[in-house]
Amino acid sequence: MKPETEQPLSVGRSLRWSYVSTGLGAVLQLVFAALLARLLTPDDYGVIAVGAGAIKFIQYLVGAGAVAVIIRKSDFDPTRDAAILFASGVLMSAGVAAVTAVLIFVAGGLFGAASDPQVRLALAMLCFGGPLSALGQVSTGILSRNMAFRRLGLQNVGALVLSQLLVALPAAWYGLGYWSLVLAYLAQTALTALFAFLAAPHPLLSRQLLSPRARGMLRLAGSFSMIRIMDSAGLHLLPVVLVHLAGIQAAGLWDRSFALAFLPMDLVVIGLGRVLFPAYGTWGRDRERLQQAWLAIIAVAALFMGTLTAGIATLAQPLALLVLGPVWTASGPVMSAVALWALMRGLSVFAGGLIEATGRLHIRVIHQGCYLVALSATLWFFDPQGAAAFALCLFAVDLFFQSVLLVLAAREIGLGARTVASVLLPGAGGALVVAGSCYGGLSLLRSAGVEGWLLLILPSLIGGFAFTVALFLNPSSRLRRSVGQYFFGGFLGWPLQGEGWRAGAMKYLIRT
Protein backbone atom coordinates (compact mmCIF):
# COMPACT_ATOMS: atom_id res chain seq x y z
CA MET A 1 0.00 0.00 0.00
CA LYS A 2 1.35 3.41 -0.88
CA PRO A 3 2.20 5.71 2.01
CA GLU A 4 0.03 8.54 0.84
CA THR A 5 -3.06 6.29 0.72
CA GLU A 6 -2.45 4.47 3.98
CA GLN A 7 -5.66 3.91 5.89
CA PRO A 8 -5.82 5.96 9.07
CA LEU A 9 -5.14 4.04 12.26
CA SER A 10 -7.53 4.12 15.16
CA VAL A 11 -6.84 6.78 17.76
CA GLY A 12 -5.91 4.14 20.33
CA ARG A 13 -3.41 2.42 18.05
CA SER A 14 -2.02 5.77 16.93
CA LEU A 15 -1.54 6.78 20.55
CA ARG A 16 0.35 3.57 21.20
CA TRP A 17 2.78 4.14 18.35
CA SER A 18 3.08 7.82 19.19
CA TYR A 19 3.97 7.06 22.80
CA VAL A 20 6.38 4.26 21.89
CA SER A 21 8.30 6.34 19.36
CA THR A 22 8.30 9.45 21.53
CA GLY A 23 9.38 7.49 24.60
CA LEU A 24 12.14 5.72 22.68
CA GLY A 25 13.32 9.03 21.25
CA ALA A 26 13.36 10.59 24.72
CA VAL A 27 15.42 7.73 26.16
CA LEU A 28 17.90 7.91 23.28
CA GLN A 29 18.17 11.68 23.65
CA LEU A 30 18.92 11.17 27.33
CA VAL A 31 21.69 8.68 26.51
CA PHE A 32 23.26 10.90 23.85
CA ALA A 33 22.96 13.96 26.11
CA ALA A 34 24.83 12.10 28.85
CA LEU A 35 27.63 11.19 26.45
CA LEU A 36 27.95 14.59 24.79
CA ALA A 37 27.79 16.51 28.08
CA ARG A 38 31.05 14.83 29.09
CA LEU A 39 32.74 15.92 25.87
CA LEU A 40 31.38 19.48 25.59
CA THR A 41 31.10 22.51 27.87
CA PRO A 42 28.19 24.77 28.90
CA ASP A 43 29.63 27.46 26.59
CA ASP A 44 29.43 25.07 23.60
CA TYR A 45 25.79 24.37 24.31
CA GLY A 46 25.16 28.07 24.94
CA VAL A 47 26.28 28.99 21.43
CA ILE A 48 24.04 26.38 19.84
CA ALA A 49 21.09 27.12 22.15
CA VAL A 50 21.08 30.74 21.02
CA GLY A 51 21.59 29.93 17.36
CA ALA A 52 19.20 26.99 17.16
CA GLY A 53 16.52 28.95 19.03
CA ALA A 54 16.71 31.83 16.60
CA ILE A 55 16.75 29.49 13.61
CA LYS A 56 13.75 27.56 14.91
CA PHE A 57 11.85 30.83 15.13
CA ILE A 58 12.76 31.57 11.51
CA GLN A 59 11.50 28.13 10.44
CA TYR A 60 8.13 28.89 12.00
CA LEU A 61 8.17 32.28 10.31
CA VAL A 62 8.13 30.78 6.84
CA GLY A 63 6.40 27.42 7.00
CA ALA A 64 4.83 26.31 10.25
CA GLY A 65 1.31 26.41 8.84
CA ALA A 66 1.77 23.90 6.01
CA VAL A 67 1.37 20.80 8.17
CA ALA A 68 -1.70 22.28 9.88
CA VAL A 69 -3.30 23.03 6.48
CA ILE A 70 -2.70 19.47 5.29
CA ILE A 71 -4.26 18.04 8.45
CA ARG A 72 -7.20 20.40 8.72
CA LYS A 73 -8.20 21.04 5.09
CA SER A 74 -10.86 18.43 4.33
CA ASP A 75 -10.47 18.65 0.53
CA PHE A 76 -6.66 18.49 0.50
CA ASP A 77 -5.44 16.51 -2.52
CA PRO A 78 -1.76 15.41 -2.40
CA THR A 79 -1.46 15.12 -6.17
CA ARG A 80 -2.76 18.67 -6.69
CA ASP A 81 -1.99 20.64 -3.54
CA ALA A 82 1.21 19.13 -2.12
CA ALA A 83 3.45 20.72 -4.75
CA ILE A 84 2.00 24.16 -4.01
CA LEU A 85 2.85 23.99 -0.32
CA PHE A 86 6.20 22.32 -1.00
CA ALA A 87 7.44 24.84 -3.58
CA SER A 88 6.29 27.89 -1.61
CA GLY A 89 7.78 26.54 1.63
CA VAL A 90 11.17 25.72 0.14
CA LEU A 91 11.44 29.04 -1.71
CA MET A 92 10.53 31.10 1.35
CA SER A 93 12.79 29.08 3.64
CA ALA A 94 15.76 29.42 1.32
CA GLY A 95 15.24 33.16 0.96
CA VAL A 96 14.87 33.80 4.68
CA ALA A 97 17.86 31.55 5.46
CA ALA A 98 20.08 33.50 3.08
CA VAL A 99 19.00 36.86 4.49
CA THR A 100 19.46 35.66 8.07
CA ALA A 101 22.93 34.28 7.33
CA VAL A 102 23.95 37.70 6.01
CA LEU A 103 22.49 39.42 9.08
CA ILE A 104 24.49 37.14 11.38
CA PHE A 105 27.74 38.35 9.84
CA VAL A 106 26.59 41.98 9.82
CA ALA A 107 24.93 42.11 13.26
CA GLY A 108 25.97 38.88 14.98
CA GLY A 109 25.66 40.39 18.44
CA LEU A 110 21.87 40.06 18.19
CA PHE A 111 22.35 36.28 18.00
CA GLY A 112 24.90 36.08 20.80
CA ALA A 113 27.75 35.67 18.32
CA ALA A 114 29.76 38.70 19.55
CA SER A 115 32.83 39.22 17.35
CA ASP A 116 33.97 35.59 17.01
CA PRO A 117 34.00 34.78 13.26
CA GLN A 118 33.87 31.02 13.93
CA VAL A 119 30.71 31.38 16.00
CA ARG A 120 29.13 33.54 13.32
CA LEU A 121 29.97 30.97 10.65
CA ALA A 122 28.44 28.20 12.77
CA LEU A 123 25.24 30.18 13.30
CA ALA A 124 25.07 31.03 9.60
CA MET A 125 25.28 27.35 8.74
CA LEU A 126 22.47 26.60 11.17
CA CYS A 127 20.24 28.88 9.12
CA PHE A 128 20.13 26.33 6.35
CA GLY A 129 18.39 23.87 8.60
CA GLY A 130 15.24 25.76 7.59
CA PRO A 131 15.32 24.83 3.89
CA LEU A 132 16.36 21.28 4.80
CA SER A 133 13.37 20.96 7.10
CA ALA A 134 11.06 22.41 4.45
CA LEU A 135 12.00 19.57 2.08
CA GLY A 136 10.15 17.09 4.28
CA GLN A 137 7.42 19.29 5.72
CA VAL A 138 4.65 18.38 3.28
CA SER A 139 5.40 14.66 3.55
CA THR A 140 5.24 14.95 7.33
CA GLY A 141 1.87 16.63 7.02
CA ILE A 142 0.54 13.85 4.77
CA LEU A 143 1.72 11.17 7.21
CA SER A 144 0.12 13.05 10.11
CA ARG A 145 -3.13 13.46 8.19
CA ASN A 146 -3.21 9.70 7.61
CA MET A 147 -2.25 9.13 11.28
CA ALA A 148 0.76 7.06 10.14
CA PHE A 149 2.58 7.64 13.41
CA ARG A 150 4.50 4.40 13.28
CA ARG A 151 6.38 5.62 10.22
CA LEU A 152 6.77 9.12 11.62
CA GLY A 153 8.15 7.76 14.87
CA LEU A 154 10.55 5.31 13.27
CA GLN A 155 11.95 7.87 10.85
CA ASN A 156 12.49 10.45 13.61
CA VAL A 157 14.24 7.94 15.85
CA GLY A 158 16.35 6.71 12.92
CA ALA A 159 17.44 10.25 12.01
CA LEU A 160 18.34 10.95 15.65
CA VAL A 161 20.43 7.78 16.06
CA LEU A 162 22.30 8.17 12.78
CA SER A 163 23.10 11.85 13.29
CA GLN A 164 24.33 11.32 16.85
CA LEU A 165 26.33 8.16 16.25
CA LEU A 166 27.86 9.14 12.92
CA VAL A 167 28.27 12.90 13.39
CA ALA A 168 27.85 14.35 16.89
CA LEU A 169 29.79 11.87 19.01
CA PRO A 170 32.78 11.42 16.64
CA ALA A 171 33.06 15.19 16.09
CA ALA A 172 32.87 15.91 19.84
CA TRP A 173 35.43 13.18 20.54
CA TYR A 174 37.87 14.83 18.12
CA GLY A 175 37.45 18.15 19.93
CA LEU A 176 35.33 20.10 17.46
CA GLY A 177 33.25 21.62 20.28
CA TYR A 178 30.06 23.34 19.21
CA TRP A 179 30.73 22.40 15.58
CA SER A 180 29.80 18.83 16.47
CA LEU A 181 26.32 20.07 17.47
CA VAL A 182 25.97 22.20 14.34
CA LEU A 183 26.84 19.35 11.99
CA ALA A 184 24.64 16.89 13.89
CA TYR A 185 21.68 19.28 13.77
CA LEU A 186 21.98 19.70 10.00
CA ALA A 187 22.44 15.95 9.49
CA GLN A 188 19.40 15.08 11.61
CA THR A 189 17.25 17.68 9.84
CA ALA A 190 18.28 16.41 6.41
CA LEU A 191 17.73 12.75 7.33
CA THR A 192 14.31 13.48 8.84
CA ALA A 193 13.23 15.26 5.65
CA LEU A 194 14.60 12.46 3.45
CA PHE A 195 12.89 9.69 5.42
CA ALA A 196 9.59 11.60 5.40
CA PHE A 197 9.67 12.09 1.64
CA LEU A 198 10.52 8.43 1.02
CA ALA A 199 7.57 7.42 3.21
CA ALA A 200 5.12 9.85 1.57
CA PRO A 201 6.39 11.03 -1.84
CA HIS A 202 4.51 13.79 -3.62
CA PRO A 203 4.87 16.08 -6.66
CA LEU A 204 7.57 18.73 -6.23
CA LEU A 205 6.79 21.35 -8.83
CA SER A 206 3.59 23.29 -9.44
CA ARG A 207 2.44 25.77 -12.03
CA GLN A 208 -0.43 26.90 -9.82
CA LEU A 209 1.45 28.97 -7.25
CA LEU A 210 -0.56 32.04 -8.25
CA SER A 211 -3.94 30.30 -8.65
CA PRO A 212 -6.91 31.22 -6.40
CA ARG A 213 -6.70 27.82 -4.66
CA ALA A 214 -2.99 28.31 -3.94
CA ARG A 215 -3.63 31.78 -2.52
CA GLY A 216 -6.39 30.39 -0.31
CA MET A 217 -4.19 27.62 1.07
CA LEU A 218 -1.31 30.00 1.69
CA ARG A 219 -3.61 32.43 3.53
CA LEU A 220 -4.79 29.59 5.76
CA ALA A 221 -1.21 28.47 6.30
CA GLY A 222 -0.34 32.05 7.19
CA SER A 223 -3.02 32.07 9.90
CA PHE A 224 -1.58 28.96 11.51
CA SER A 225 1.95 30.30 11.02
CA MET A 226 1.08 33.47 12.92
CA ILE A 227 0.11 31.39 15.95
CA ARG A 228 3.24 29.22 15.66
CA ILE A 229 5.44 32.30 15.31
CA MET A 230 4.03 33.80 18.49
CA ASP A 231 4.36 30.47 20.31
CA SER A 232 7.93 30.17 19.08
CA ALA A 233 8.77 33.69 20.23
CA GLY A 234 7.79 32.63 23.77
CA LEU A 235 9.88 29.46 23.58
CA HIS A 236 12.69 29.29 21.03
CA LEU A 237 13.84 32.90 21.42
CA LEU A 238 14.29 32.52 25.19
CA PRO A 239 17.98 31.53 24.93
CA VAL A 240 18.59 34.66 22.85
CA VAL A 241 17.05 36.78 25.62
CA LEU A 242 18.91 34.89 28.35
CA VAL A 243 22.33 35.29 26.77
CA HIS A 244 21.85 39.07 26.81
CA LEU A 245 20.67 39.00 30.43
CA ALA A 246 23.11 36.51 31.98
CA GLY A 247 25.73 35.44 29.44
CA ILE A 248 26.51 32.49 27.18
CA GLN A 249 27.16 30.01 30.01
CA ALA A 250 23.71 30.65 31.49
CA ALA A 251 22.26 29.90 28.05
CA GLY A 252 24.18 26.61 28.02
CA LEU A 253 22.87 25.63 31.47
CA TRP A 254 19.38 26.54 30.29
CA ASP A 255 19.72 24.39 27.17
CA ARG A 256 20.64 21.17 29.00
CA SER A 257 18.17 21.82 31.82
CA PHE A 258 15.47 22.45 29.23
CA ALA A 259 16.31 19.22 27.40
CA LEU A 260 15.98 17.11 30.58
CA ALA A 261 13.11 18.94 32.27
CA PHE A 262 10.96 18.84 29.14
CA LEU A 263 11.01 15.05 29.03
CA PRO A 264 7.49 14.98 30.56
CA MET A 265 6.24 17.16 27.71
CA ASP A 266 7.97 14.97 25.12
CA LEU A 267 6.53 11.80 26.62
CA VAL A 268 2.99 13.03 27.23
CA VAL A 269 2.17 16.18 25.30
CA ILE A 270 3.91 15.50 22.01
CA GLY A 271 2.96 11.84 22.01
CA LEU A 272 -0.69 12.58 22.77
CA GLY A 273 -1.08 15.96 21.10
CA ARG A 274 0.11 15.07 17.62
CA VAL A 275 -2.50 12.28 17.46
CA LEU A 276 -5.35 14.33 18.86
CA PHE A 277 -5.08 17.33 16.55
CA PRO A 278 -6.21 15.28 13.51
CA ALA A 279 -8.84 13.52 15.66
CA TYR A 280 -10.40 16.79 16.89
CA GLY A 281 -11.91 17.34 13.45
CA THR A 282 -13.90 14.11 13.68
CA TRP A 283 -14.89 14.50 17.32
CA GLY A 284 -16.01 18.08 16.66
CA ARG A 285 -19.15 16.76 14.95
CA ASP A 286 -20.26 15.29 18.28
CA ARG A 287 -20.06 18.06 20.90
CA GLU A 288 -20.74 15.81 23.88
CA ARG A 289 -18.12 13.30 22.78
CA LEU A 290 -15.61 16.10 22.27
CA GLN A 291 -16.30 17.44 25.77
CA GLN A 292 -15.82 14.08 27.44
CA ALA A 293 -12.74 13.20 25.37
CA TRP A 294 -11.03 16.55 26.02
CA LEU A 295 -11.69 16.43 29.77
CA ALA A 296 -10.35 12.88 29.91
CA ILE A 297 -7.26 13.85 27.94
CA ILE A 298 -6.30 16.85 30.08
CA ALA A 299 -6.94 14.78 33.22
CA VAL A 300 -4.53 12.06 32.05
CA ALA A 301 -1.99 14.62 30.80
CA ALA A 302 -2.08 16.62 34.03
CA LEU A 303 -1.61 13.49 36.14
CA PHE A 304 1.27 11.95 34.22
CA MET A 305 3.06 15.15 33.29
CA GLY A 306 2.55 16.62 36.75
CA THR A 307 3.96 13.47 38.32
CA LEU A 308 7.01 13.40 36.06
CA THR A 309 7.55 17.13 36.56
CA ALA A 310 7.35 16.71 40.34
CA GLY A 311 9.95 13.98 40.22
CA ILE A 312 12.34 15.93 38.02
CA ALA A 313 11.99 19.13 40.03
CA THR A 314 12.64 17.29 43.30
CA LEU A 315 15.52 15.13 42.03
CA ALA A 316 17.09 17.71 39.70
CA GLN A 317 20.45 17.82 41.48
CA PRO A 318 21.21 14.05 41.43
CA LEU A 319 19.74 13.85 37.91
CA ALA A 320 22.12 16.54 36.65
CA LEU A 321 25.14 14.86 38.29
CA LEU A 322 24.26 11.41 36.94
CA VAL A 323 23.28 12.38 33.40
CA LEU A 324 25.42 15.44 32.67
CA GLY A 325 28.38 15.00 35.01
CA PRO A 326 30.05 17.15 37.71
CA VAL A 327 30.78 20.03 35.31
CA TRP A 328 27.03 20.67 35.15
CA THR A 329 26.32 20.83 38.90
CA ALA A 330 24.97 24.38 38.56
CA SER A 331 22.18 23.12 36.30
CA GLY A 332 20.31 21.48 39.24
CA PRO A 333 18.40 24.57 40.45
CA VAL A 334 17.81 25.60 36.84
CA MET A 335 16.29 22.21 36.03
CA SER A 336 13.91 22.41 39.01
CA ALA A 337 12.59 25.79 37.90
CA VAL A 338 12.34 24.78 34.23
CA ALA A 339 10.39 21.63 35.18
CA LEU A 340 7.68 23.75 36.84
CA TRP A 341 7.46 25.96 33.78
CA ALA A 342 7.33 22.89 31.50
CA LEU A 343 4.17 21.68 33.22
CA MET A 344 2.27 24.86 32.33
CA ARG A 345 3.64 24.91 28.78
CA GLY A 346 2.53 21.32 28.32
CA LEU A 347 -1.04 21.89 29.43
CA SER A 348 -1.30 24.87 27.10
CA VAL A 349 -0.76 22.60 24.09
CA PHE A 350 -4.05 20.80 24.70
CA ALA A 351 -5.94 24.05 25.24
CA GLY A 352 -4.41 25.78 22.22
CA GLY A 353 -4.92 22.72 20.00
CA LEU A 354 -8.61 22.60 20.85
CA ILE A 355 -9.12 26.30 20.09
CA GLU A 356 -7.34 25.92 16.76
CA ALA A 357 -9.40 22.85 15.89
CA THR A 358 -12.61 24.85 16.43
CA GLY A 359 -11.34 27.45 13.95
CA ARG A 360 -11.15 30.32 16.47
CA LEU A 361 -7.60 31.26 15.57
CA HIS A 362 -8.02 34.91 16.57
CA ILE A 363 -8.46 33.87 20.21
CA ARG A 364 -5.07 32.15 20.15
CA VAL A 365 -3.45 35.17 18.50
CA ILE A 366 -4.88 37.65 21.03
CA HIS A 367 -4.01 35.45 24.00
CA GLN A 368 -0.45 34.81 22.85
CA GLY A 369 0.07 38.49 22.07
CA CYS A 370 -0.97 39.46 25.60
CA TYR A 371 1.26 36.71 26.98
CA LEU A 372 4.33 37.97 25.12
CA VAL A 373 3.72 41.54 26.32
CA ALA A 374 3.36 40.39 29.93
CA LEU A 375 6.44 38.16 29.67
CA SER A 376 8.55 40.98 28.23
CA ALA A 377 7.39 43.35 30.96
CA THR A 378 8.16 40.80 33.69
CA LEU A 379 11.68 40.12 32.41
CA TRP A 380 12.34 43.86 32.05
CA PHE A 381 11.09 44.63 35.56
CA PHE A 382 12.83 41.81 37.44
CA ASP A 383 15.93 41.61 35.20
CA PRO A 384 16.84 38.00 36.21
CA GLN A 385 20.59 37.47 36.35
CA GLY A 386 20.67 33.67 36.21
CA ALA A 387 18.98 30.83 34.37
CA ALA A 388 17.06 29.68 37.47
CA ALA A 389 15.62 33.13 38.19
CA PHE A 390 14.82 33.46 34.49
CA ALA A 391 12.83 30.20 34.57
CA LEU A 392 10.91 31.25 37.69
CA CYS A 393 9.82 34.45 35.94
CA LEU A 394 8.56 32.35 33.04
CA PHE A 395 6.67 30.02 35.38
CA ALA A 396 4.90 32.90 37.13
CA VAL A 397 3.70 34.40 33.84
CA ASP A 398 2.70 31.03 32.36
CA LEU A 399 0.83 29.98 35.48
CA PHE A 400 -1.61 32.82 34.93
CA PHE A 401 -1.85 32.92 31.14
CA GLN A 402 -2.00 29.18 30.48
CA SER A 403 -4.72 28.83 33.14
CA VAL A 404 -6.69 31.47 31.25
CA LEU A 405 -6.10 29.57 28.00
CA LEU A 406 -7.52 26.38 29.52
CA VAL A 407 -10.67 28.25 30.53
CA LEU A 408 -11.00 29.81 27.06
CA ALA A 409 -10.64 26.38 25.44
CA ALA A 410 -13.26 24.91 27.75
CA ARG A 411 -15.72 27.68 26.89
CA GLU A 412 -15.32 26.91 23.18
CA ILE A 413 -16.97 23.52 23.75
CA GLY A 414 -19.50 24.63 26.35
CA LEU A 415 -17.61 23.84 29.57
CA GLY A 416 -16.93 26.09 32.56
CA ALA A 417 -13.87 26.90 34.66
CA ARG A 418 -15.13 24.82 37.60
CA THR A 419 -15.37 21.74 35.41
CA VAL A 420 -11.77 22.19 34.26
CA ALA A 421 -10.57 22.73 37.83
CA SER A 422 -12.41 19.61 39.02
CA VAL A 423 -10.56 17.61 36.37
CA LEU A 424 -7.07 19.05 36.99
CA LEU A 425 -6.98 19.16 40.81
CA PRO A 426 -7.00 15.36 41.39
CA GLY A 427 -3.97 15.02 39.12
CA ALA A 428 -2.23 17.88 40.94
CA GLY A 429 -2.82 16.06 44.22
CA GLY A 430 -1.11 12.96 42.85
CA ALA A 431 1.85 15.05 41.73
CA LEU A 432 2.22 16.55 45.22
CA VAL A 433 2.24 13.05 46.73
CA VAL A 434 5.05 12.04 44.37
CA ALA A 435 7.04 15.22 45.09
CA GLY A 436 6.75 14.68 48.83
CA SER A 437 7.75 11.01 48.55
CA CYS A 438 10.78 11.74 46.36
CA TYR A 439 11.92 14.59 48.61
CA GLY A 440 11.49 12.49 51.75
CA GLY A 441 13.36 9.57 50.25
CA LEU A 442 16.17 11.82 49.02
CA SER A 443 16.53 13.48 52.44
CA LEU A 444 16.68 10.15 54.27
CA LEU A 445 19.29 8.75 51.88
CA ARG A 446 21.47 11.84 52.18
CA SER A 447 21.27 11.73 55.98
CA ALA A 448 22.37 8.08 55.81
CA GLY A 449 25.43 9.03 53.74
CA VAL A 450 24.26 7.47 50.47
CA GLU A 451 25.90 8.93 47.34
CA GLY A 452 25.99 8.53 43.57
CA TRP A 453 23.36 6.99 41.36
CA LEU A 454 21.41 5.57 44.31
CA LEU A 455 20.33 9.14 45.18
CA LEU A 456 18.39 9.17 41.93
CA ILE A 457 17.25 5.56 41.53
CA LEU A 458 15.94 4.84 45.03
CA PRO A 459 13.84 8.06 45.42
CA SER A 460 12.49 7.47 41.89
CA LEU A 461 11.32 3.99 42.91
CA ILE A 462 9.73 5.43 46.06
CA GLY A 463 8.00 8.09 43.95
CA GLY A 464 6.77 5.45 41.48
CA PHE A 465 5.25 3.39 44.28
CA ALA A 466 3.62 6.50 45.76
CA PHE A 467 2.20 7.38 42.33
CA THR A 468 0.64 3.93 41.93
CA VAL A 469 -0.98 4.05 45.36
CA ALA A 470 -2.21 7.62 44.84
CA LEU A 471 -3.70 6.68 41.45
CA PHE A 472 -5.64 3.62 42.57
CA LEU A 473 -6.89 5.37 45.72
CA ASN A 474 -7.67 8.66 43.98
CA PRO A 475 -11.21 9.81 44.86
CA SER A 476 -11.85 11.09 41.32
CA SER A 477 -13.60 8.35 39.33
CA ARG A 478 -13.25 10.47 36.15
CA LEU A 479 -9.47 10.54 36.52
CA ARG A 480 -9.17 6.84 37.27
CA ARG A 481 -11.46 5.86 34.40
CA SER A 482 -9.59 8.14 31.99
CA VAL A 483 -6.23 6.65 32.96
CA GLY A 484 -7.70 3.18 32.64
CA GLN A 485 -9.16 3.91 29.21
CA TYR A 486 -6.29 5.84 27.59
CA PHE A 487 -3.22 4.39 29.29
CA PHE A 488 -3.76 0.93 30.74
CA GLY A 489 -6.41 -0.07 28.21
CA GLY A 490 -5.58 1.89 25.05
CA PHE A 491 -1.79 1.92 25.39
CA LEU A 492 -0.84 -1.13 27.47
CA GLY A 493 -3.76 -3.23 26.25
CA TRP A 494 -4.92 -4.38 29.68
CA PRO A 495 -8.25 -6.28 29.52
CA LEU A 496 -11.36 -5.17 31.34
CA GLN A 497 -13.04 -8.57 31.28
CA GLY A 498 -11.74 -11.97 32.30
CA GLU A 499 -9.48 -13.30 35.01
CA GLY A 500 -5.98 -12.41 36.10
CA TRP A 501 -4.38 -9.60 38.06
CA ARG A 502 -4.47 -7.12 35.17
CA ALA A 503 -8.21 -7.47 34.65
CA GLY A 504 -8.71 -7.22 38.42
CA ALA A 505 -6.58 -4.09 38.61
CA MET A 506 -8.51 -2.52 35.73
CA LYS A 507 -11.86 -3.24 37.38
CA TYR A 508 -10.67 -1.68 40.63
CA LEU A 509 -9.20 1.33 38.83
CA ILE A 510 -12.34 2.25 36.89
CA ARG A 511 -14.77 1.61 39.75
CA THR A 512 -17.41 4.28 40.26
Side-chain angles (χ1 to χ4, degrees), residues 54-67 84-102 123-138 185-186 189 193 218 225:
I55 302 310
K56 195 72 174 179
F57 175 76
I58 293 169
Q59 290 179 13
Y60 279 115
L61 182 65
V62 297
V67 173
I84 296 173
L85 294 174
F86 176 82
S88 60
V90 171
L91 289 174
M92 287 190 293
S93 294
V96 172
V99 172
T100 306
V102 172
L123 295 181
M125 288 187 64
L126 280 174
C127 292
F128 293 94
L132 289 175
S133 178
L135 293 174
Q137 191 174 66
V138 172
Y185 170 78
L186 294 175
T189 303
L218 294 178
S225 291

Side-chain angles (χ1 to χ4, degrees), residues 224-248:
F224 283 107
S225 291
M226 177 61 68
I227 297 171
R228 298 293 177 266
I229 291 167
M230 299 177 77
D231 282 339
S232 180
L235 182 64
H236 298 115
L237 290 184
L238 293 177
V240 180
V241 177
L242 183 57
V243 76
H244 288 287
L245 290 173
I248 199 71

